[in-house]
Amino acid sequence: MKFPFLIIFFGLLVNHVSAQRTSITGRFENLSFHNFVDEIEKRSAYHFFYDALATDSLQVNIFAERLSLEELLSKVFAGTRYHFAIDPLNNIFITKDQPVDVVLDDHFFEPTFADTSLPDKDLAAKEEPVSPQKTVFVENRLYEIGKNSPSGKKQASVSGFVKYEKNGEAIPGASIYLDSVFTGVVTDQYGYYAVTVPSGTHLMEITSFGMKDTRRNLAVYSDGKLNVNMEDDIPTLKNVIVTSERRSNIRSTQMGTERLSTATIKEIPVVFGEADILRVVLTLPGVTSVGEASTGFNVRGGSADQNLVLFDDATVYNPAHLFGFFSAFNTDVVKGVELYKSVVPVKFGGRLSSVLDVSAKDGNDKKITGNGGIGLLTSRFAIEGPLKKDKTTFVLAGRTTYSDWLLKTVPDKEFNNSKASFYDLNLRISHSINTKNDLYLTGYFSNDRFRFNKDTTYRYGNANAVVKWKHTFNDRFYATFMTGMDQYNYEVNSNSNPVNSYRLKYQINQLNFKSDFNLRKSNKESLSFGIAGIYYKLKPGSLLPDDNRSLVAADVLADEQGIESAAYLGYQYNITPEVSLNAGLRYSLFNYLGPHDTYTYLNGYPRDVSSITDTTSYGSGKIIQTYHGPEYRFSLRYAFAPSASVKIGYNTLRQYIHQFSNTIAISPTDIWKLSDPNIKPQLGQQISIGLYKNFANDQFETSLEGYYKFLNQIPDYKSGASLLLNRHLETDLINAKGKAYGIEFLIKKQTGKLNGWLSYTYSRTFLKQDDANAGETINRGEYYPASYDKPNVVNLITNYKFTHRIMMSVNVVYSTGRPITLPIAVFNSNGSQRVLYSDRNQYRIPDYFRTDISFSLEGNHRINQVLHNSWS
């Protein structure tokens, strides 16, 4: 019975030996590499393995006469970046740029033991440093999770951190997928993941945009930890990268969410050599602004004050420098940016339109590194590294400007005598107490100064400090506790004429507290809950003389106080691999506090100083007015194909703090006002539906979203409203209700030498007077377009990498002009001329079109070089 098997074995051996001695003769003319491979496989016992897309531009033109296959392939690849390797089983592996070794490492079959008793840092040490020489070794060795015992668990939890191999920075949003159980999870903002699997062997795949895909072979016995290091992915021409991060738009229940990495932000054409987060955000679908020099941005038909801007959980009230020309965020300390504009996560609240969440870097835990830049108007620096190895890291960064020279070149004398400057400082410290406790400290400080023609001087700035404590109860349950202080202030003074010299001040102070708990009950089910509180103290304005000779009368408005608190619960459940549900309930409460005076107006009459019937004084800490109510968050995803899904969402929000401005472009001297008995909270509801589809192996990501918003108790202005130092501000405001609707389209390509995105937004916002006591009627009580209504917006962002060092970027912007109210006639009344204005926002300014072009040249990429430089 053994004889036939010996014959078969002998035949295979002869075939192998003859294959090694195969000589090839023939003329291979104008053949694609694929056709060339077909010819060789027909003539021999060899089999090729290669990336068809990476070799589709390779042409073969060669004449062979009795050449061995090694000699033939050496001629084919001569002068190219391709390499080949042949293993003992006649398999041929073709790679580009990086040779492959077909001989296994001596320690290939040695398992790595990961014990839950080991601290995370020790587990991380078990991870081999990721390098081209060790990638195969790391990805194919066996990692044992937990302790192998006869009474092992049937289900076990595998958890750990995914980090950037180069500097130890956590990688949020990395996808962890296990084919054996068809389960996938995503790392949180700290790079942490936890997944439940049956005991046994599993293949874990780890992917993240901008990083090389990697995998781990696991033997799971019981609960354990495994940390993963990832390295940069430098794609070549035609290279296809399939990552779950890019499929998150398909799999996630979250809709109306845009994510930007620092690398993406730095590829967009820069302003005066300075990468700008807000400029990139303005290129996303559904995001517009009223003008170039505007600090604010508008999301899905909302006003600028309806956006919550967070920097590492600190509220930034003015996110810009130099009246909107520069972002307040230094990209050297930013890890990533997320914009929520549809179903806002339940842990966020307090604004009606969107949340812009900017996360800060933790710092390099390997070594001290730094970078800096010198631009036409600004200079910047950043340094980061470990304070204590494997325990504490820091990031310190700053920026300043020397823009006065630009103003001096302006021909108009009123401008060339002006001065403008700003600076900002960032500090971030991360400390690991032990495997279950981590501390984070973030500090931000900014200051702007602008003087117009040696007369009026403007100063404004932000000051923020946040302390966070992350505690891990177990592999499935952790909590984050945050407390912080936020401040925004501005000051305007004029002393060119001592008689009229004055100093105007305004300030917002707030104290925050938030606790956020996250429980992953299983791979299908997760829960989040927590509480949050904000204490507001506003100094609404003080006007004081700035000189002993000044005749300006002092005028100081009383401080305002309020407490906004909330409790929330979020639940996510994967019903099937195709259907997922995300639901949340947030209950918010606002108390307007004394000491303060409130005014009662004559019922049925227009609100005016003359119609005040009573003034009520409240003592310190007394509750003057309370507003409260539920906020609902709901989204449902159905994936009808592996690369396509449809989602629906419903969202309600409440806003208790409002911004008022005499200009359509948000300026540093605008005022913020808390809700009180006469100014009610803004209310909003949004219904949205979206279709998401990826093409060409996830190279192209497309989305089409539609939304409709119901707006209530929106404050708008009476004609000729006076806002500054107004003790009876409600008399110059009207209540309005509104509607906003639109469609957003996005197509994005994030891989290859040519990448970027094209977005189109159709958006309308209309308001309608809903206030019987306003005393005037706006547009006969009909709907009128809001001042930020811009129906059509198109953004095209393209980046082309000629080489790894040379890149060109083009940014094309088109938008419909915003509405405006114009004078349409002049008439005489009682012997004086008067101006007749059109209906509110009846006309529009011209459409807007702009093209930005930039070139970037990086220095050499030598790893051991002390200084790395780049030119833009």
Side-chain angles (χ1 to χ4, degrees), residues 756-768:
W757 64 84
L758 171 67
S759 69
Y760 168 71
T761 302
Y762 174 77
S763 176
R764 300 307 309 268
T765 307
F766 296 96
L767 299 177
K768 181 180 181 180

Side-chain angles (χ1 to χ4, degrees), residues 503-520:
R503 185 177 299 272
L504 175 68
K505 292 184 178 182
Y506 178 88
Q507 189 177 91
I508 301 175
N509 294 280
Q510 77 176 37
L511 299 175
N512 308 284
F513 171 78
K514 182 166 65 175
S515 62
D516 187 32
F517 295 84
N518 292 270
L519 172 63
R520 185 177 182 82

Side-chain angles (χ1 to χ4, degrees), residues 642-658:
S643 61
S645 68
V646 62
K647 305 176 190 178
I648 59 173
Y650 176 70
N651 194 49
T652 66
L653 291 160
R654 293 169 175 262
Q655 180 169 335
Y656 301 105
I657 185 169
H658 323 275

